[in-house]
Amino acid sequence: MSKRKKADSRDIGLDLGITFSKYFFKTDHLHYGYWTNGLEVDISNLARAQENYANFLMSQIPEKVSAILDVGCGTGKLASRLAAKGYSVDCVSPSKLLTRHARELLGGKSHIYESKYEEVVTEKKYDMILFSESFQYVDMEKAFRQNRAFLNDNGYMLISDFFKTDAKGESPLGGGHFLAEFYKTIEKHPFRLLKDIDITKETAPNLKLVDDFLTQVGVPTWTACLDYLDIKFPLLSKVIKWKFRKKIDKINRKYFSGSRNADNFAVYKSYRFLLYQKTN
Ligand SMILES: C[S@@+](CC[C@H](N)C(=O)[O-])C[C@H]1O[C@@H](n2cnc3c(N)ncnc32)[C@H](O)[C@@H]1O
Protein backbone atom coordinates (compact mmCIF):
# COMPACT_ATOMS: atom_id res chain seq x y z
CA MET A 1 0.00 0.00 0.00
CA SER A 2 1.35 3.46 -0.85
CA LYS A 3 2.20 5.92 1.94
CA ARG A 4 -0.52 8.28 0.72
CA LYS A 5 -3.21 5.59 0.92
CA LYS A 6 -2.03 4.57 4.40
CA ALA A 7 -2.23 8.17 5.66
CA ASP A 8 -5.70 8.58 4.16
CA SER A 9 -7.06 5.41 5.77
CA ARG A 10 -5.62 6.51 9.15
CA ASP A 11 -7.42 9.83 8.77
CA ILE A 12 -10.66 8.11 7.86
CA GLY A 13 -10.23 5.85 10.91
CA LEU A 14 -9.76 8.83 13.22
CA ASP A 15 -12.67 10.69 11.63
CA LEU A 16 -14.95 7.69 12.08
CA GLY A 17 -13.61 7.18 15.58
CA ILE A 18 -14.62 10.63 16.70
CA THR A 19 -18.05 10.50 15.07
CA PHE A 20 -18.66 7.22 16.85
CA SER A 21 -17.21 8.30 20.21
CA LYS A 22 -19.18 11.54 20.24
CA TYR A 23 -22.45 9.79 19.58
CA PHE A 24 -22.11 6.69 21.75
CA PHE A 25 -19.65 7.61 24.46
CA LYS A 26 -20.24 11.36 24.78
CA THR A 27 -16.58 12.22 24.40
CA ASP A 28 -14.70 14.26 21.83
CA HIS A 29 -11.24 13.41 23.12
CA LEU A 30 -9.31 11.24 20.69
CA HIS A 31 -6.71 9.87 23.10
CA TYR A 32 -6.55 6.98 25.55
CA GLY A 33 -7.96 7.19 29.02
CA TYR A 34 -5.76 7.41 32.11
CA TRP A 35 -7.20 4.73 34.38
CA THR A 36 -6.23 5.27 37.95
CA ASN A 37 -7.12 3.17 40.98
CA GLY A 38 -10.79 2.84 41.64
CA LEU A 39 -12.09 3.82 38.20
CA GLU A 40 -13.88 0.79 36.81
CA VAL A 41 -12.72 -0.10 33.30
CA ASP A 42 -16.04 0.27 31.56
CA ILE A 43 -17.08 2.20 28.47
CA SER A 44 -19.33 4.40 30.62
CA ASN A 45 -16.15 5.70 32.31
CA LEU A 46 -14.19 6.38 29.12
CA ALA A 47 -14.94 10.11 29.03
CA ARG A 48 -13.84 10.40 32.68
CA ALA A 49 -10.64 8.47 32.08
CA GLN A 50 -9.87 10.70 29.09
CA GLU A 51 -10.42 13.77 31.23
CA ASN A 52 -7.98 12.24 33.76
CA TYR A 53 -5.45 11.92 30.96
CA ALA A 54 -5.94 15.56 29.93
CA ASN A 55 -5.60 16.67 33.57
CA PHE A 56 -2.47 14.58 34.04
CA LEU A 57 -0.90 16.13 30.93
CA MET A 58 -1.81 19.67 31.92
CA SER A 59 -0.45 19.15 35.44
CA GLN A 60 2.98 18.42 33.94
CA ILE A 61 3.32 21.61 31.87
CA PRO A 62 6.32 23.61 33.12
CA GLU A 63 5.52 26.92 34.82
CA LYS A 64 7.09 29.30 32.34
CA VAL A 65 5.09 28.02 29.38
CA SER A 66 2.66 30.45 27.82
CA ALA A 67 2.47 29.76 24.05
CA ILE A 68 1.79 26.17 22.98
CA LEU A 69 1.72 24.47 19.59
CA ASP A 70 -0.59 21.44 19.75
CA VAL A 71 0.56 19.10 16.99
CA GLY A 72 -2.20 16.78 15.75
CA CYS A 73 -4.90 18.50 17.77
CA GLY A 74 -7.63 16.01 16.82
CA THR A 75 -10.98 17.60 17.62
CA GLY A 76 -9.29 20.53 19.38
CA LYS A 77 -10.62 19.38 22.75
CA LEU A 78 -7.28 19.45 24.55
CA ALA A 79 -6.36 22.75 22.89
CA SER A 80 -9.63 24.28 24.06
CA ARG A 81 -8.95 23.06 27.62
CA LEU A 82 -5.49 24.64 27.44
CA ALA A 83 -6.91 27.90 26.06
CA ALA A 84 -9.45 27.96 28.90
CA LYS A 85 -6.53 27.75 31.33
CA GLY A 86 -5.01 30.88 29.81
CA TYR A 87 -2.42 29.42 27.43
CA SER A 88 -2.23 30.78 23.94
CA VAL A 89 -2.58 27.71 21.71
CA ASP A 90 -2.07 27.13 18.00
CA CYS A 91 -2.77 23.79 16.36
CA VAL A 92 -1.56 21.56 13.56
CA SER A 93 -4.23 19.46 11.91
CA PRO A 94 -3.73 17.64 8.59
CA SER A 95 -7.18 16.03 8.60
CA LYS A 96 -9.98 18.08 6.98
CA LEU A 97 -12.78 16.56 9.02
CA LEU A 98 -10.98 16.85 12.34
CA THR A 99 -9.99 20.43 11.49
CA ARG A 100 -13.68 21.23 11.09
CA HIS A 101 -14.37 19.87 14.59
CA ALA A 102 -11.42 21.84 15.97
CA ARG A 103 -12.53 25.09 14.35
CA GLU A 104 -16.02 24.69 15.81
CA LEU A 105 -14.65 24.01 19.28
CA LEU A 106 -11.93 26.65 19.28
CA GLY A 107 -14.07 29.31 17.63
CA GLY A 108 -11.19 31.33 16.17
CA LYS A 109 -9.13 31.33 19.38
CA SER A 110 -6.26 29.44 17.73
CA HIS A 111 -4.47 29.53 14.45
CA ILE A 112 -4.68 26.11 12.81
CA TYR A 113 -1.93 25.02 10.42
CA GLU A 114 -3.81 22.73 8.07
CA SER A 115 -0.98 20.43 7.07
CA LYS A 116 1.22 17.68 8.34
CA TYR A 117 3.62 18.91 10.99
CA GLU A 118 6.57 18.01 8.79
CA GLU A 119 5.31 20.56 6.24
CA VAL A 120 4.46 23.48 8.55
CA VAL A 121 6.22 26.72 7.67
CA THR A 122 6.12 29.59 10.16
CA GLU A 123 8.23 32.33 11.71
CA LYS A 124 6.25 32.04 14.95
CA LYS A 125 7.91 30.66 18.10
CA TYR A 126 6.39 28.66 20.94
CA ASP A 127 7.32 27.82 24.53
CA MET A 128 6.12 24.26 24.23
CA ILE A 129 5.32 21.85 21.42
CA LEU A 130 2.79 19.22 22.41
CA PHE A 131 2.27 15.81 20.84
CA SER A 132 -0.63 14.11 22.53
CA GLU A 133 -0.91 10.73 20.84
CA SER A 134 0.16 12.29 17.56
CA PHE A 135 3.89 11.61 17.72
CA GLN A 136 3.46 8.11 16.29
CA TYR A 137 2.24 9.66 13.01
CA VAL A 138 5.14 12.03 12.39
CA ASP A 139 8.55 11.44 10.89
CA MET A 140 10.83 11.65 13.95
CA GLU A 141 13.83 13.32 12.34
CA LYS A 142 11.72 15.94 10.59
CA ALA A 143 9.64 16.59 13.71
CA PHE A 144 12.73 17.18 15.88
CA ARG A 145 14.09 19.63 13.31
CA GLN A 146 10.76 21.45 13.21
CA ASN A 147 10.66 21.52 17.03
CA ARG A 148 14.08 23.08 17.19
CA ALA A 149 13.08 25.76 14.69
CA PHE A 150 9.72 26.63 16.26
CA LEU A 151 10.73 26.60 19.93
CA ASN A 152 11.92 29.62 21.89
CA ASP A 153 15.24 29.24 23.71
CA ASN A 154 14.83 26.71 26.54
CA GLY A 155 11.41 25.76 25.15
CA TYR A 156 9.86 22.36 25.82
CA MET A 157 8.75 19.36 23.81
CA LEU A 158 6.07 17.23 25.46
CA ILE A 159 5.32 13.84 23.94
CA SER A 160 2.65 11.57 25.34
CA ASP A 161 2.22 8.52 23.16
CA PHE A 162 2.81 4.82 22.87
CA PHE A 163 5.86 3.23 21.30
CA LYS A 164 6.76 -0.26 20.16
CA THR A 165 8.81 -2.36 22.56
CA ASP A 166 11.39 -4.92 21.46
CA ALA A 167 9.16 -7.83 22.53
CA LYS A 168 9.57 -10.92 20.37
CA GLY A 169 6.83 -12.13 18.01
CA GLU A 170 4.33 -10.34 15.81
CA SER A 171 2.35 -7.67 17.61
CA PRO A 172 -1.41 -7.90 17.15
CA LEU A 173 -1.53 -4.13 17.72
CA GLY A 174 -0.33 -1.53 15.25
CA GLY A 175 1.10 1.92 15.70
CA GLY A 176 4.02 3.67 17.33
CA HIS A 177 7.69 4.22 16.65
CA PHE A 178 10.17 1.83 18.22
CA LEU A 179 11.07 3.25 21.64
CA ALA A 180 14.73 2.25 21.26
CA GLU A 181 14.88 4.06 17.93
CA PHE A 182 13.28 7.13 19.47
CA TYR A 183 15.97 7.33 22.18
CA LYS A 184 18.69 6.87 19.58
CA THR A 185 17.26 9.54 17.27
CA ILE A 186 16.63 12.19 19.93
CA GLU A 187 20.27 11.94 21.03
CA LYS A 188 21.28 13.58 17.76
CA HIS A 189 19.13 16.63 18.45
CA PRO A 190 19.57 19.50 20.93
CA PHE A 191 17.12 18.36 23.61
CA ARG A 192 17.65 17.46 27.25
CA LEU A 193 15.44 14.89 28.94
CA LEU A 194 13.55 16.24 31.96
CA LYS A 195 10.92 13.55 32.54
CA ASP A 196 10.27 10.06 31.21
CA ILE A 197 7.28 8.45 32.87
CA ASP A 198 5.97 5.03 31.90
CA ILE A 199 2.16 5.25 31.91
CA THR A 200 1.51 1.92 30.18
CA LYS A 201 -0.24 0.53 33.26
CA GLU A 202 -2.64 3.49 33.39
CA THR A 203 -3.43 3.49 29.65
CA ALA A 204 -3.47 -0.24 28.78
CA PRO A 205 -7.00 -0.72 30.23
CA ASN A 206 -8.29 1.15 27.16
CA LEU A 207 -7.57 -2.01 25.21
CA LYS A 208 -9.97 -3.91 27.43
CA LEU A 209 -12.70 -1.64 26.08
CA VAL A 210 -11.56 -2.31 22.51
CA ASP A 211 -11.47 -6.06 23.20
CA ASP A 212 -14.93 -6.02 24.82
CA PHE A 213 -16.31 -4.09 21.87
CA LEU A 214 -14.76 -6.38 19.26
CA THR A 215 -15.82 -9.60 20.95
CA GLN A 216 -19.28 -8.47 22.03
CA VAL A 217 -20.27 -6.30 19.05
CA GLY A 218 -17.72 -6.90 16.27
CA VAL A 219 -17.76 -10.71 16.18
CA PRO A 220 -21.58 -11.11 16.18
CA THR A 221 -21.96 -8.35 13.57
CA TRP A 222 -19.27 -9.81 11.31
CA THR A 223 -20.69 -13.36 11.68
CA ALA A 224 -24.21 -12.11 10.95
CA CYS A 225 -23.03 -10.38 7.77
CA LEU A 226 -21.28 -13.53 6.54
CA ASP A 227 -24.31 -15.68 7.46
CA TYR A 228 -26.64 -13.29 5.64
CA LEU A 229 -24.49 -13.54 2.53
CA ASP A 230 -24.49 -17.35 2.83
CA ILE A 231 -28.27 -17.56 3.07
CA LYS A 232 -29.20 -14.89 0.51
CA PHE A 233 -26.51 -15.41 -2.09
CA PRO A 234 -24.88 -18.81 -1.48
CA LEU A 235 -22.95 -18.91 -4.73
CA LEU A 236 -21.71 -15.34 -4.48
CA SER A 237 -20.80 -15.98 -0.83
CA LYS A 238 -18.63 -18.96 -1.84
CA VAL A 239 -16.87 -16.91 -4.50
CA ILE A 240 -16.26 -13.96 -2.17
CA LYS A 241 -15.01 -16.20 0.64
CA TRP A 242 -12.62 -17.93 -1.75
CA LYS A 243 -11.42 -14.79 -3.55
CA PHE A 244 -10.89 -12.80 -0.35
CA ARG A 245 -9.90 -15.70 1.91
CA LYS A 246 -6.55 -14.13 2.80
CA LYS A 247 -8.17 -10.78 3.63
CA ILE A 248 -10.93 -12.46 5.64
CA ASP A 249 -8.36 -14.54 7.56
CA LYS A 250 -6.41 -11.38 8.28
CA ILE A 251 -9.51 -9.55 9.56
CA ASN A 252 -10.38 -12.55 11.77
CA ARG A 253 -6.84 -12.74 13.12
CA LYS A 254 -6.42 -9.00 13.60
CA TYR A 255 -9.76 -7.97 15.01
CA PHE A 256 -11.74 -10.97 16.16
CA SER A 257 -9.27 -13.34 17.79
CA GLY A 258 -9.31 -11.52 21.12
CA SER A 259 -5.65 -10.52 20.82
CA ARG A 260 -6.19 -6.76 20.80
CA ASN A 261 -6.24 -6.70 24.56
CA ALA A 262 -4.64 -4.93 27.52
CA ASP A 263 -2.15 -7.74 28.23
CA ASN A 264 -0.76 -7.65 24.71
CA PHE A 265 -0.64 -3.85 24.79
CA ALA A 266 1.52 -4.01 27.92
CA VAL A 267 3.87 -6.47 26.18
CA TYR A 268 4.19 -4.89 22.75
CA LYS A 269 3.76 -1.19 23.59
CA SER A 270 5.19 1.24 26.05
CA TYR A 271 3.12 4.35 26.67
CA ARG A 272 5.46 7.18 27.68
CA PHE A 273 5.10 10.68 28.98
CA LEU A 274 8.27 12.45 27.82
CA LEU A 275 9.29 16.00 28.57
CA TYR A 276 12.37 17.49 26.91
CA GLN A 277 13.92 20.95 26.95
CA LYS A 278 15.68 22.57 24.02
CA THR A 279 19.34 23.18 24.76
CA ASN A 280 20.41 25.49 21.95
C1 LIG B 1 -5.06 10.00 18.02
S1 LIG B 1 -5.29 11.62 17.41
C2 LIG B 1 -4.86 12.58 18.84
C3 LIG B 1 -5.63 13.85 18.89
C4 LIG B 1 -5.36 14.76 20.09
N1 LIG B 1 -4.01 15.21 20.15
C5 LIG B 1 -5.79 14.14 21.38
O1 LIG B 1 -4.95 13.97 22.26
O2 LIG B 1 -6.99 13.85 21.54
C6 LIG B 1 -3.93 11.87 16.29
C7 LIG B 1 -3.85 13.22 15.64
O3 LIG B 1 -2.64 13.31 14.89
C8 LIG B 1 -2.92 13.96 13.66
N2 LIG B 1 -1.85 13.63 12.68
C9 LIG B 1 -1.67 12.53 11.94
N3 LIG B 1 -0.56 12.66 11.17
C10 LIG B 1 -0.02 13.87 11.45
C11 LIG B 1 1.11 14.61 10.96
N4 LIG B 1 1.95 14.08 10.07
N5 LIG B 1 1.33 15.85 11.44
C12 LIG B 1 0.50 16.39 12.38
N6 LIG B 1 -0.58 15.74 12.88
C13 LIG B 1 -0.85 14.50 12.41
C14 LIG B 1 -4.31 13.46 13.29
O4 LIG B 1 -4.93 14.28 12.32
C15 LIG B 1 -4.97 13.56 14.67
O5 LIG B 1 -5.39 14.87 14.90
Side-chain angles (χ1 to χ4, degrees), residues 28 39 83 111 150 176 181 196 243:
D28 44 11
L39 188 58
H111 174 72
F150 304 152
E181 199 185 322
D196 181 351
K243 186 139 180 50

Coordinates of all heavy atoms in Angstrom, one line a residue, residues 28 39 83 111 150 176 181 196 243:
D28 N -15.4 13.9 23.1 CA -14.7 14.3 21.8 C -13.2 14.3 22.0 O -12.5 14.9 21.2 CB -15.3 15.6 21.2 CG -15.5 16.6 22.2 OD1 -15.0 16.5 23.4 OD2 -16.1 17.6 21.9
L39 N -11.2 3.5 39.3 CA -12.1 3.8 38.2 C -12.3 2.5 37.4 O -11.4 2.0 36.8 CB -11.4 4.9 37.3 CG -12.3 5.4 36.2 CD1 -13.6 6.1 36.7 CD2 -11.6 6.5 35.4
A83 N -6.6 26.5 26.3 CA -6.9 27.9 26.1 C -7.7 28.4 27.2 O -7.5 29.5 27.7 CB -7.7 28.1 24.8
H111 N -4.8 29.7 15.9 CA -4.5 29.5 14.5 C -4.3 28.0 14.2 O -3.6 27.4 15.0 CB -3.2 30.3 14.1 CG -2.8 30.0 12.7 ND1 -3.4 30.6 11.6 CD2 -1.8 29.3 12.2 CE1 -2.9 30.1 10.5 NE2 -1.9 29.4 10.8
F150 N 10.9 25.9 15.8 CA 9.7 26.6 16.3 C 9.7 26.9 17.8 O 8.8 27.6 18.3 CB 8.4 25.8 15.9 CG 8.3 25.5 14.5 CD1 7.5 24.4 14.1 CD2 8.8 26.3 13.5 CE1 7.4 24.1 12.7 CE2 8.7 26.0 12.1 CZ 7.9 24.9 11.8
G176 N 2.9 3.3 16.5 CA 4.0 3.7 17.3 C 5.4 3.5 16.7 O 5.6 2.6 15.9
E181 N 14.5 3.2 19.1 CA 14.9 4.1 17.9 C 14.6 5.5 18.3 O 15.4 6.4 17.9 CB 14.0 3.7 16.7 CG 14.6 4.1 15.4 CD 13.7 3.8 14.3 OE1 13.0 2.7 14.3 OE2 13.5 4.7 13.4
D196 N 10.6 11.2 32.0 CA 10.3 10.1 31.2 C 9.5 9.1 32.1 O 10.0 8.4 32.9 CB 11.6 9.4 30.7 CG 11.2 8.2 29.8 OD1 10.1 7.8 29.7 OD2 12.2 7.6 29.2
K243 N -12.3 -15.9 -3.0 CA -11.4 -14.8 -3.5 C -10.7 -13.9 -2.5 O -9.6 -13.5 -2.6 CB -12.3 -13.9 -4.4 CG -11.5 -12.9 -5.2 CD -12.1 -12.7 -6.6 CE -11.4 -11.7 -7.5 NZ -9.9 -11.8 -7.5

